[in-house]
Amino acid sequence: RLAVIETRYEEARQLRLKALEIAQEYNDRRSIAFMMNNLCEPLENMGDLPGALAYIEKAVQICDEIGDRQASAIVNNNLGFIKLVLKHPPGQAARHYLKSLAMFRDLDDKHGIFYTLRDLARTYLPDHNNVHARNSLVEACQMGIRIGQPHLASELLPLIARLLCQSGHYERAY
């Protein structure tokens, strides 16, 4: 993780590949899935988005095969993000976010719910799907308050401003 923070992406990639190799030696499928998920960060930062997509899709497949809903919720959320970055149709990203959201709800993972709702709003806004974006943002705000962390709402402010502008409420956005 430190290598990524210090922008030593190739080093981070190599370390994560080594960790993946070790997980594969032990046939620890959950760890394999998480290592594949974690490889996406340095690959994304190095500009290898197709490589990141390939790893995250394999991670989703493994999580689904082993039935690990927590891991599947996390990697589906990350797959939605990678698809947005790669400029796939927003509906493809939304499909993964909605799958992730359903699992986080089943698991009662409130932080997972909050961040996935935020990400869903990011997906809906470029398509001018203001109603769904608004609903996601409102629920995310409510979740932040419900879990006693209203400061999380500050992460939603740029999205709320964009929604207001798209809705013709420019003065309220500033």
Side-chain angles (χ1 to χ4, degrees), residues 58-105:
K58 288 177 190 172
V60 167
Q61 180 183 352
I62 291 169
C63 289
D64 289 347
E65 288 171 0
I66 64 175
D68 189 327
R69 294 181 59 73
Q70 180 73 35
S72 186
I74 292 167
V75 296
N76 267 285
N77 186 287
N78 292 341
L79 177 54
F81 175 76
I82 294 292
K83 287 197 172 195
L84 275 182
V85 172
L86 281 168
K87 306 288 188 218
H88 285 219
Q92 288 184 18
R95 181 169 51 92
H96 294 289
Y97 286 137
L98 290 168
K99 183 177 178 182
S100 175
L101 182 61
M103 288 185 264
F104 280 133
R105 287 187 198 281

Side-chain angles (χ1 to χ4, degrees), residues 29-149:
R29 296 188 35 88
R30 186 173 199 272
S31 293
I32 291 168
F34 272 113
M35 289 303 105
M36 289 179 167
N37 178 67
N38 292 343
L39 265 164
C40 291
E41 188 177 22
L43 290 174
E44 179 190 337
N45 286 313
M46 293 168 65
D48 184 5
L49 294 173
L53 179 63
Y55 275 112
I56 197 74
E57 286 178 333
K58 288 177 190 172
V60 167
Q61 180 183 352
I62 291 169
C63 289
D64 289 347
E65 288 171 0
I66 64 175
D68 189 327
R69 294 181 59 73
Q70 180 73 35
S72 186
I74 292 167
V75 296
N76 267 285
N77 186 287
N78 292 341
L79 177 54
F81 175 76
I82 294 292
K83 287 197 172 195
L84 275 182
V85 172
L86 281 168
K87 306 288 188 218
H88 285 219
Q92 288 184 18
R95 181 169 51 92
H96 294 289
Y97 286 137
L98 290 168
K99 183 177 178 182
S100 175
L101 182 61
M103 288 185 264
F104 280 133
R105 287 187 198 281
D106 287 347
L107 297 164
D108 198 33
D109 181 332
K110 291 173 179 47
H111 283 90
I113 293 167
F114 173 86
Y115 286 110
T116 304
L117 288 166
R118 177 204 61 192
D119 296 340
L120 264 172
R122 284 184 182 155
T123 303
Y124 292 137
L125 285 169
D127 268 357
H128 294 273
N129 191 338
N130 293 347
V131 171
H132 282 93
R134 180 190 171 283
N135 291 344
S136 296
L137 290 168
V138 167
E139 187 178 349
C141 281
Q142 292 169 340
M143 180 61 68
I145 292 166
R146 193 173 314 126
I147 62 177
Q149 296 184 0

Side-chain angles (χ1 to χ4, degrees), residues 7-50:
T7 67
R8 297 189 327 261
Y9 303 125
E10 180 57 31
E11 181 182 345
R13 186 182 74 82
Q14 290 298 324
L15 288 169
R16 290 173 185 193
L17 281 170
K18 183 64 177 166
L20 174 60
E21 185 180 306
I22 292 168
Q24 289 170 329
E25 286 175 15
Y26 288 94
N27 197 30
D28 182 346
R29 296 188 35 88
R30 186 173 199 272
S31 293
I32 291 168
F34 272 113
M35 289 303 105
M36 289 179 167
N37 178 67
N38 292 343
L39 265 164
C40 291
E41 188 177 22
L43 290 174
E44 179 190 337
N45 286 313
M46 293 168 65
D48 184 5
L49 294 173

